[in-house]
Amino acid sequence: MARAISTPKKIMWTALAWGVGLLIFFPILWTFLTSFKTEATAISDPPVWFLFDWTTENYSDVLARSNYPLALMNSIIIAVGSTLLGIVIAVPAAWAMAFVPGKRTKDVLMWMLSTKMLPAVGVLYPLVLIAKYLNVYDSRIMLIVVLMLINLPIIVWMLYTYFREIPGEILEAARMDGASLGKEIIYVLTPMALPGIASTILLNIILAWNEAFWTILLTTVDAAPLTKFIASFSAPEGLFYAKLSAASIMAIAPIIVMGWFSQKQLVRGLTFGAVK
Amino acid sequence: MATQHSRTSARIMVAPAVFVLLVWMLVPLCMTLYFSFADYRPLRATFDAWIGFDNYVSFLTSDSFLSSVGVTLQMVAGILCITIGGGVVLALLLDQPMFGQGIVRILVIAPFFVMPTVSALVWKNMFFNVDNGLFSYLWRFFGAQPYDFLSQAPLFSIIVIVAWQWLPFATLILLTAVQSLSSEQLEAAEMDGAPPLSRFWHIILPHLSRAITVVILIQTIFLLSIFAEIFVTTNGAFGTRTLTYLVYQRVLESQNIGLGSAGGIVAVILANVVAIFLMRIVGKNLDN
Amino acid sequence: MGRITLDRVQKKFGDVEVIPPLDLIIEDGEFVVFVGPSGCGKSTLLRLIAGLEDVSGGEIRIDGRPATDLPPAKRGLAMVFQSYALYPHMSVRKNIAFPLKMAGMAQDEQDRRIAKAATALNLTDYLDRRPGQLSGGQRQRVAIGRAIVREPAAFLFDEPLSNLDAALRVGMRMEISELHKTLATTMIYVTHDQVEAMTMADKIVVLRAGHVEQVGSPLELYKTPRNTFVAGFIGSPKMNLLTGAAAAAHGAATIGIRPEHLDVVDSGGTFTGRVGVAEHLGSDTFFHVHVPEMAEPMTVRAGGEVGLTHGDTIHLTPRAAHIHRFDAQGLRIA
Amino acid sequence: MGRITLDRVQKKFGDVEVIPPLDLIIEDGEFVVFVGPSGCGKSTLLRLIAGLEDVSGGEIRIDGRPATDLPPAKRGLAMVFQSYALYPHMSVRKNIAFPLKMAGMAQDEQDRRIAKAATALNLTDYLDRRPGQLSGGQRQRVAIGRAIVREPAAFLFDEPLSNLDAALRVGMRMEISELHKTLATTMIYVTHDQVEAMTMADKIVVLRAGHVEQVGSPLELYKTPRNTFVAGFIGSPKMNLLTGAAAAAHGAATIGIRPEHLDVVDSGGTFTGRVGVAEHLGSDTFFHVHVPEMAEPMTVRAGGEVGLTHGDTIHLTPRAAHIHRFDAQGLRIA
Amino acid sequence: EEITIATVNNGDMVRMQALSPAWEEQTGNTINWVVLEENVLRQNVTTDISTGGGQYDVMTIGTYEAPIWGANDWLVSLNDGMADDWNADDLLPAIRGGLTVDGTLVAAPFYGESSMVMYRRDLMEAAGLEMPEAPTWQFIREAAAAMTDRDADINGICARGKAGWGENMAFLTAMSNSFGARWFDMDWTAQFDSPEWAETLTFYLEMMAESGPAGAANNGFNENLTLFQQGKCGMWIDATVAASFVTNPEDSTVADQVGFALAPDTGLGKRGNWLWAWSLAIPASSDKQEIAKDFISWATGPGYTTLVAENEGWANVPPGTRQSLYDNAEYLAAAPFAQMTLDSINSADPTAPSVQEVPYTGVQFVAIPEFAGIATQVGQQFSDALAGNMTAEEALAAAQTLTTEEMEAAGY
Ligand SMILES: Nc1ncnc2c1ncn2[C@@H]1O[C@H](COP(=O)(O)OP(=O)(O)OP(=O)(O)O)[C@@H](O)[C@H]1O
Ligand SMILES: Nc1ncnc2c1ncn2[C@@H]1O[C@H](COP(=O)(O)OP(=O)(O)OP(=O)(O)O)[C@@H](O)[C@H]1O
Ligand SMILES: [Mg+2]
Ligand SMILES: [Mg+2]
């Protein structure tokens, strides 16, 4: 039962929270503003805030120099693909762990999580050699599989925590009602866990989107996503802050927009289902 | 809920996930293990399949190894402190009644979306840069000598960048936890005469302990493999070379795959030590 | 000491007036129960007294001193919550000690009081457990212990037993009653269980939509409900209310007859109907009888076992002295 | 059709034998209630019948056919869960249709059955709502509807009413009873509320630690409990059990007297004691009397109002015909 | 057909990318560009070449990689198969030498560079000094001190401080050559404990402390370029290619005040300048070697020079690879720094970089595979020293230890 709160107090909290929120957001805002400046304004002293001649020149420069649409497309395909593949593998596993827990369920889960601690460089050469051997170097499918494997433990864990909140009685009811295991998962479990699954998907899309080791080293052109795109703007001769900003904004904008539109699910996802 | 039939199905259902992760663990890891006993330096066209434990000996006895372990621990600990401390404060702040809570939350989450490379670049160039960085303007504005973050306080700078990215995560988990605290408990404490600070110490903080363990667990998993931020900002200079980065240097910069693989195996072992340690605590905390 | 006076106390949430201006005096040492349907404002009223909500108007006085603007901790009241609201990370001992610690009480005095409360509440063996390791009843007792040690001017209970199962509820009910007898401290008790209200209260306050419908001792309310609302609310099973011709015959718009005031007769009788469900409890039998005078089945309580079952015809006569008459506004006709 | 036979059915969880080998026959069309204290294995037994758990030994037959190894869906039983276990993402209609859809039934037959069930359960207006938009009682009805449409050989209920509040519980209890009368299908009903057991059952099975203590009709159990456990368990308030001299006087190790079988007399009387708590419900008064013969207070039920309060001395006489005698093993002496 | 080219994201390469449609139209082939920041590029191509990944048909590499990779037979010989007008003999001998392994040319230079002093004539004048053609380190240090005016945000000297074998170590190794220091003696023993290295590093640190910009330890080429263009540096010793940027009035606020001089010396006979060429090479794993050769012929041939000149002006043509460019009057007129660049390149000798005898080739690097890894770590020590986190002695001692360790591990 929430207590009624006086307005002045509320205004004070509002001011404070907005202040802190803007402070945290500031680097992104600043990058955004800089991306519309000329290179000279970008490093002018003192810094200019909003009153400058807004130009989209940086964006057109960046677009002219690299194949942004392809990189964007690759990012989307890889992030979404790896996440969905992960979900398909993880749902049954999480079902089993959540509803038919055995003595070793916790250990298996922890073991899965510990595979995430494998330092990527440690297995770089083996993986490159395997990719070459299988002839999947610079292919989206390779990245989809690799990123799926990297994120699978997190997906399983998140789904597991969401599934555990679903009362087992409902699944038993479905079983009494004559649903087979597959139908039980498709018609009952999945729709019920949909918010949790959506959160899991969103969070893992972000993680996959931002993965910047494998996506750079296992791709050249065909499968190169935005992480590689940004690597071509990171330190050109001369400090091109404005161009760097424009490229940065282009790389992060899709995911930020997606995040904002799916705020509610995402917030849930960001808690990794670990806290109710 | 536990008939023989369902137990059998359960085993079949976990199988794919366990299988792919096993393959993922084993195949590259076995190859790495194989390389770690080899003198494998492609740039010299050297491949000597068995040189015993030489790689391990030279990796473990070099000065850089111990210092990199120290750096890793400092970095992870620093980031955890900032994100958890800041996260608790922010969570409490966001839990207050206010206008536009949704928007503030959006603002606070945003850093989590930013690619590590991008955020490292932005911080390095637009904030930490001594000549053109915003901090320098700020310092000069207050009449101070601009401070060169990346060389004077490199570890701290990286910690700031990474903490900025992970603060949203900690905040959101803790916020959810704060919101799950029953208001009756707080009211009971209020009736019991506890002033706000005591309520925080005696009621809220203990309530958050579970959420804090989760934050520690998940962040540690991700933080142990921080790479892009170091690569972009200091390239491992000024005492910011973590274990992961050291392995990277061995493998990719020195092109000594054998030595690097040995380092990779060492890192895997250490990470799992940390993992087991964490899981123990967390496992216990998650059970109740 | 614990005389609590509410003087035109009013509460609005935004534009919604949940409690219209209300006067109420609770005497020192009284056991007062607030009853009423869900959402009628019982909890709100209790929280106003506790200071957990600000009043929108009016004044609250505790022992004559104005308390309207005092923070909860300063009012000298203790509250027991429905969810117990124990601190899960503290041992029972620490839970009980918490208010004392906050008051900065000396350790030995704390120990003394805790020991006393633990003995009174049979908690001595559990002092070092965490709340999570206790049963529902024990938890409730810890919550009460936490309230007792402060030696408050009055105890406030908000549906303290509603999370317990039936058997435990009966036991705890009696424990709280005995506690009241021992401590002789004012207690305000919110419930929507009218058995609790009847058995525990010195004085019952029946609320409807924030209004006080009637204040009185349980038997007063049982015998002379002021209106049909109170009549229907107090007594279990519910009073049968009849309108139309049956009521007009008694010169009223509505008449009420309690199930225990209907006698089963062999033939004739005022009402004749068909037995719907017959519930045989051994000690009593309840018949739900379909009579033409009432839309719902009429409930009848017969002592012991009566050999009638589903579908039988039954003849009933009300005891004339126990017929309640109400006018068109639903008010009691004396 | 729905005759269920349990033949030396046994259940172990790991090394713990929760149900020792147990025989039980449930006749077609019977309403059987399992009662017993918490943890005695009621739910486990029900789930064994449903097929949600594997038996560790013995055989279950439904209508003569062995069902021990059949999966739940094949046993032709329907279950109503304590938590309702509705599918929250489906409308009421879809919830009810789910088992039919799983059985691959034709759409028009589905519609027909749903309409019939909805009418029977008064759900027609809610068919397009989601479970979340329904009240507790309505949800319970949907759960029953989902069970009905399958036209099962038997219904299994696991404490279906324990999540409802007291008033609703009474209503739903009657609805389920009426349903049983209408459908005449076997029903197995688990509860720990003995009022439910008494009012609904054709046959009560009293369980303790997996053992069947007594099987019989409610009144049989009320009148001739086979041992002190059943005696104490059936009847509300609980039977007073006396040992020692008072029992020896009746040639028994223990005697039991129900509260309703003690009469308050002006003087003399078999028992004399001091009134502890007196609960005045209007219709009845319950006294908890401290008598030297019993450790706990003796419970007495007096009809109407009796002018005795806390601290008064009271004289009591049991009705001789209603004294239950038990031997040293707690077994009834005929 | 399609070829994939990996290149670095600096100005000249980006320009090549922009002009490449000309080649595509001409030949009907298409190019997939992979333009990456230098470190990321190295990561990518090294992984690819050492695993035989075969992802690239043309790679952009430097004079450091070329001899090592060439020796492993990872690169396709460019001795034959190049276009007719692609005249190998026109290449500057120092550059060509650096890209030749056992008589086989393994990479074609796209642009070459050495290092030199760039200075502000106005500030020099204000300080009452005059820059000689070939200054000494001593002069540079004194001039820097005289020009420094920290209140006005003017630093006498800008030089690389950012850690990395291609960053501060390029500068310091070249500088150490002129102080008579060397990386290794003839037994491959590390020489950081030598007095020459002590002198080099001390001199560098003191000079930077007196007259260098704040945060010098993070400054690489890009940072210094910006500083210089903003008028914050009195002198800057760095790559000759910078000349065209600092004299470009569009980007530089001091374009008309820039003077050039040879890299400094100490009178021992070697100057502190380096030699570097970004070059295009074809990995042996490529299956489109013919087309790749055709592209390289186009991009590094004289035709490309003309193309750039037509489109962007002579000042922007890639410098430092061909004698013919320096014989071109139009170029000499447009590029005031041309002669200085040529002289600098010609004065560097990869085979005898130091005053003392050395077992290796390379001016600002040591052409052995281990070098990059070692030098980056040494660079980190020196960068740390520049940041004030340790003394010169400590840095050198650390460098000596780690180099010795690594060389032992490498089997020397
Ligand atoms: N913080 C609040 N803001 C707005 N309305 C509220 C608030 N708290 C309570 N109300 C409203 O005030 C009315 C009274 O609520 P209250 O909780 O006092 O009822 P109650 O009698 O305790 O009911 P119950 O028996 O269900 O506990 C309800 O209509 C409720 O919706
Ligand atoms: N899956 C299980 N594993 C181990 N023990 C179990 C399991 N399920 C139940 N038990 C044990 O079996 C016994 C009987 O449990 P059951 O749920 O049948 O009791 P119940 O009579 O339904 O109790 P309640 O009235 O509380 O619902 C209990 O002691 C319980 O702890
Ligand atoms: Mg309430
Ligand atoms: Mg149960």
Side-chain angles (χ1 to χ4, degrees), chain B residues 213-235:
Chain B
T213 3
V214 171
V215 173
I216 292 179
L217 172 73
I218 298 201
Q219 285 201 23
T220 309
I221 290 177
F222 282 90
L223 295 182
L224 281 178
S225 52
I226 284 185
F227 174 77
E229 290 86 346
I230 304 173
F231 181 73
V232 170
T233 51
T234 61
N235 245 311

Side-chain angles (χ1 to χ4, degrees), chain A residues 167 169-180 183-184 187-189 191-192, chain D residues 47 50 52 73 77 79 81 83 85-90 98-99 101-102 146 150:
Chain A
E169 282 193 349
I170 293 192
L171 298 187
E172 291 183 342
R175 213 164 302 159
M176 293 288 297
D177 284 346
S180 63
K183 285 182 175 165
E184 175 185 321
Y187 289 115
V188 180
L189 179 63
M192 278 185 72
Chain D
R47 293 163 58 81
L52 292 170
L77 308 175
M79 183 147 169
F81 293 84
S83 64
L86 300 180
Y87 311 125
H89 56 288
M90 299 181 193
F98 190 75
K101 190 169 144 197
M102 288 299 116
R146 195 172 61 185
R150 291 177 52 199

Side-chain angles (χ1 to χ4, degrees), chain A residues 1-4, chain C residues 13 18 36-45 53 82 158-159 190 192:
Chain A
M1 189 174 304
R3 270 164 91 174
Chain C
F13 285 116
V18 173
S38 187
C40 68
K42 305 181 292 293
S43 299
T44 306
L45 194 54
E53 297 277 1
Q82 177 173 5
D158 193 354
E159 313 203 13
V190 166
H192 58 239

Side-chain angles (χ1 to χ4, degrees), chain B residues 200-219:
Chain B
F200 176 74
W201 274 114
H202 295 294
I203 313 294
I204 299 178
L205 211 54
H207 175 78
L208 292 182
S209 64
R210 192 187 123 106
I212 289 175
T213 3
V214 171
V215 173
I216 292 179
L217 172 73
I218 298 201
Q219 285 201 23

Side-chain angles (χ1 to χ4, degrees), chain A residues 117-167:
Chain A
M117 300 204 178
L118 197 74
V121 265
V123 295
L124 171 66
Y125 265 78
L127 212 65
V128 170
L129 292 174
I130 293 172
K132 213 192 102 191
Y133 177 73
L134 297 176
N135 207 9
V136 287
Y137 208 132
D138 191 31
S139 68
R140 291 164 182 163
I141 191 73
M142 169 85 190
L143 282 180
I144 287 178
V145 169
V146 169
L147 294 191
M148 181 277 285
L149 287 167
I150 289 178
N151 287 333
L152 188 60
I154 292 286
I155 300 181
V156 172
W157 194 35
M158 287 178 69
L159 290 180
Y160 167 74
T161 23
Y162 291 128
F163 285 178
R164 256 195 342 178
E165 282 173 46
I166 293 174

Side-chain angles (χ1 to χ4, degrees), chain E residues 104-128:
Chain E
T104 308
L105 186 66
V106 294
F110 183 77
Y111 72 79
E113 62 176 35
S114 180
S115 56
M116 62 181 175
V117 181
M118 290 160 276
Y119 65 98
R120 290 271 300 281
R121 289 203 302 266
D122 51 340
L123 293 179
M124 194 59 90
E125 208 169 298

